[in-house]
Amino acid sequence: MPQMGYDMREGTVVRWHKQEGETVDRGEVIADIETDKATVEFEAYTGGVMGRIVAEAGVAVPVGELIAIITEPGESVPELAAPPANPAAGPAPTPAPVAADPEPAAPASPSDGGVRASPIARRLARERDIDLALVAGTGPNGRITERDIENYQAPVDAPSPASAPVATAAVPADTRIDLSRMRQTIARVTSDSKSTAPHFYVTAEIDMGKAMSLRRDVNDASDPENRVSVNDLMVKACALALAGHPKFNSFFRGDHLEVHGAMNIGIAIALESGLILPGVNNCESKSLLQIAAATKDLIARANSGTLRNEEYSSTTFSISNMGMFDVESFTAIIYPPHAAILAVGSVRQQPVVRDGELAVGQTMKATLSTDHRVADGAEAAQFLMEIKRVLQNPVSLLL
């Protein structure tokens, strides 16, 4: 089971795209794996033959545990791998103890044996002791989804007439909202980040007049399906600035910094179930239009649950943009193990002074959250000023 993200502890194979005995090419999608945050396409690390599928669909498996074996053509499957579970063959031998046990499959029961439900819905139902037979499914053909479990309210028995209380002034009742697995993961990661990485913040106001004019000209001359957003401008500007400030494209590793050559910039995407941070990889070699196209594709696949492993697990710097919500400025929590994250507010019409004259301009506030173990205040300010310089002289965004 691959680790598809810093915070991933276990994953569930939703579907195998290859069956035992079929040929596998390096880089080919062989399975869809569900994490706490998203469903990700898993690509084969090597080519060969799918010798054995070990992990059953719908069963949670800890990171690092065996899920399948790919062999060379004609090679026998190693005996160390237990055969896949076969209910008709009776109970399997007790396996040797391992460091962490995978989540057991849900036992068949009269209450849910004939109920159609997704693997994550079944898992949530087990965790919350919900009888699937009582849940109304809203998925295809009445299939119960994760959202159905999240929205389920257990029926409350009405009190008997003899015990009914005398009518009094209505008092709003307290309610309980159980956290989804994604929300629990977000809570854990953000708490770990704030308690481990000493955050500090620097904010700059950026004159976006020229950048917005450039964006308008590019969009007027481009395919309507590939329009450039303000966030695309930010991704390209950060990629250019990171080239001269590589500390901010690194991970803190105790006694050294792991500095990355590739600039894989994560963008915060708000899904109905929570926040994820997949990335556009190799931004240093992409044009502004290529970044715009890649971002739109990334957002579409994040919403449809078809992200690829490298998009979900290889980001090196991140941007969180709340400008579309008319937020002027905010601070963001660093996504570990990143060194920094840039929080972007809305572009607003504001009074500005140019050449001693008052005018109406377009400005935006950006706040850089930095891990103090990686860089100091002066370095963070210089990096942010480089982003500002690029955006205020945006011709470099097209080079």
Side-chain angles (χ1 to χ4, degrees), residues 115-267:
V115 176
R116 293 174 56 84
S118 68
I120 192 170
R122 289 186 182 276
R123 186 168 70 238
L124 285 174
R126 291 198 303 271
E127 292 172 354
R128 301 179 185 185
D129 196 24
I130 295 174
D131 186 349
L132 287 173
L134 302 178
V135 181
T138 61
N141 299 319
R143 190 169 187 253
I144 298 172
T145 67
E146 176 187 4
R147 185 184 304 174
D148 297 328
I149 300 297
E150 298 287 356
N151 296 335
Y152 175 73
Q153 295 290 334
V156 179
D157 294 333
S160 63
S163 62
V166 177
T168 58
V171 177
D174 294 338
T175 59
R176 170 190 171 99
I177 300 177
D178 292 321
L179 298 181
S180 65
R181 289 175 64 86
M182 178 184 279
R183 181 52 56 187
Q184 292 177 47
T185 299
I186 293 171
R188 184 182 72 248
V189 172
T190 52
S191 296
D192 289 347
S193 177
K194 287 290 284 186
S195 62
T196 302
H199 288 53
F200 72 90
Y201 313 94
V202 290
T203 301
E205 188 171 58
I206 301 172
D207 187 340
M208 291 291 290
K210 291 183 179 179
M212 297 302 285
S213 178
L214 173 73
R215 172 179 175 248
R216 182 174 59 252
D217 292 343
V218 170
N219 286 340
D220 287 345
S222 302
D223 185 341
E225 298 298 321
N226 194 25
R227 295 177 64 83
V228 172
S229 69
V230 173
N231 202 66
D232 299 329
L233 298 177
M234 300 306 302
V235 172
K236 182 63 177 178
C238 287
L240 293 173
L242 286 169
H245 299 269
K247 270 190 175 184
F248 295 90
N249 200 46
S250 70
F251 298 163
F252 177 78
R253 296 303 193 195
D255 61 349
H256 69 281
L257 297 182
E258 181 183 331
V259 182
H260 303 281
M263 297 167 192
N264 303 334
I265 299 181
I267 55 175

Side-chain angles (χ1 to χ4, degrees), residues 45-373:
Y45 296 133
T46 186
V49 175
M50 181 65 78
R52 175 165 294 160
I53 293 175
V54 178
E56 295 182 23
V59 179
V61 178
V63 167
E65 291 293 313
L66 187 68
I67 61 173
I69 297 174
I70 296 176
T71 65
E72 295 288 346
E75 180 186 3
S76 60
V77 180
E79 295 183 0
L80 58 88
N86 182 356
T94 303
V98 293
D101 293 329
E103 181 181 328
S109 67
S111 64
D112 69 0
V115 176
R116 293 174 56 84
S118 68
I120 192 170
R122 289 186 182 276
R123 186 168 70 238
L124 285 174
R126 291 198 303 271
E127 292 172 354
R128 301 179 185 185
D129 196 24
I130 295 174
D131 186 349
L132 287 173
L134 302 178
V135 181
T138 61
N141 299 319
R143 190 169 187 253
I144 298 172
T145 67
E146 176 187 4
R147 185 184 304 174
D148 297 328
I149 300 297
E150 298 287 356
N151 296 335
Y152 175 73
Q153 295 290 334
V156 179
D157 294 333
S160 63
S163 62
V166 177
T168 58
V171 177
D174 294 338
T175 59
R176 170 190 171 99
I177 300 177
D178 292 321
L179 298 181
S180 65
R181 289 175 64 86
M182 178 184 279
R183 181 52 56 187
Q184 292 177 47
T185 299
I186 293 171
R188 184 182 72 248
V189 172
T190 52
S191 296
D192 289 347
S193 177
K194 287 290 284 186
S195 62
T196 302
H199 288 53
F200 72 90
Y201 313 94
V202 290
T203 301
E205 188 171 58
I206 301 172
D207 187 340
M208 291 291 290
K210 291 183 179 179
M212 297 302 285
S213 178
L214 173 73
R215 172 179 175 248
R216 182 174 59 252
D217 292 343
V218 170
N219 286 340
D220 287 345
S222 302
D223 185 341
E225 298 298 321
N226 194 25
R227 295 177 64 83
V228 172
S229 69
V230 173
N231 202 66
D232 299 329
L233 298 177
M234 300 306 302
V235 172
K236 182 63 177 178
C238 287
L240 293 173
L242 286 169
H245 299 269
K247 270 190 175 184
F248 295 90
N249 200 46
S250 70
F251 298 163
F252 177 78
R253 296 303 193 195
D255 61 349
H256 69 281
L257 297 182
E258 181 183 331
V259 182
H260 303 281
M263 297 167 192
N264 303 334
I265 299 181
I267 55 175
I269 300 175
L271 304 178
E272 186 174 345
S273 53
L275 188 73
I276 62 173
L277 198 79
V280 177
N281 290 344
N282 304 115
C283 291
E284 74 283 354
S285 61
K286 285 184 168 65
S287 68
L288 179 60
L289 288 176
Q290 288 173 328
I291 287 174
T295 298
K296 288 175 178 60
D297 176 62
L298 191 74
I299 293 172
R301 288 188 293 103
N303 281 279
S304 65
T306 55
L307 291 173
R308 294 188 292 271
N309 182 21
E310 68 273 11
E311 295 165 333
Y312 193 62
S313 62
S314 61
T315 55
T316 58
F317 180 81
S318 44
I319 296 173
S320 181
N321 189 338
M322 295 184 70
M324 67 288 294
F325 300 114
D326 199 29
V327 171
E328 182 177 8
S329 67
F330 68 104
T331 58
I333 298 175
I334 298 168
Y335 178 72
H338 294 182
I341 183 172
L342 186 70
V344 179
S346 60
V347 178
R348 297 172 173 237
Q349 286 194 330
Q350 299 281 1
V352 298
V353 177
R354 294 196 181 107
D355 300 324
E357 298 291 334
L358 188 63
V360 177
Q362 293 178 290
T363 64
M364 178 190 72
K365 289 184 179 178
T367 299
L368 184 72
S369 305
T370 303
D371 184 342
H372 218 322
R373 299 171 301 176

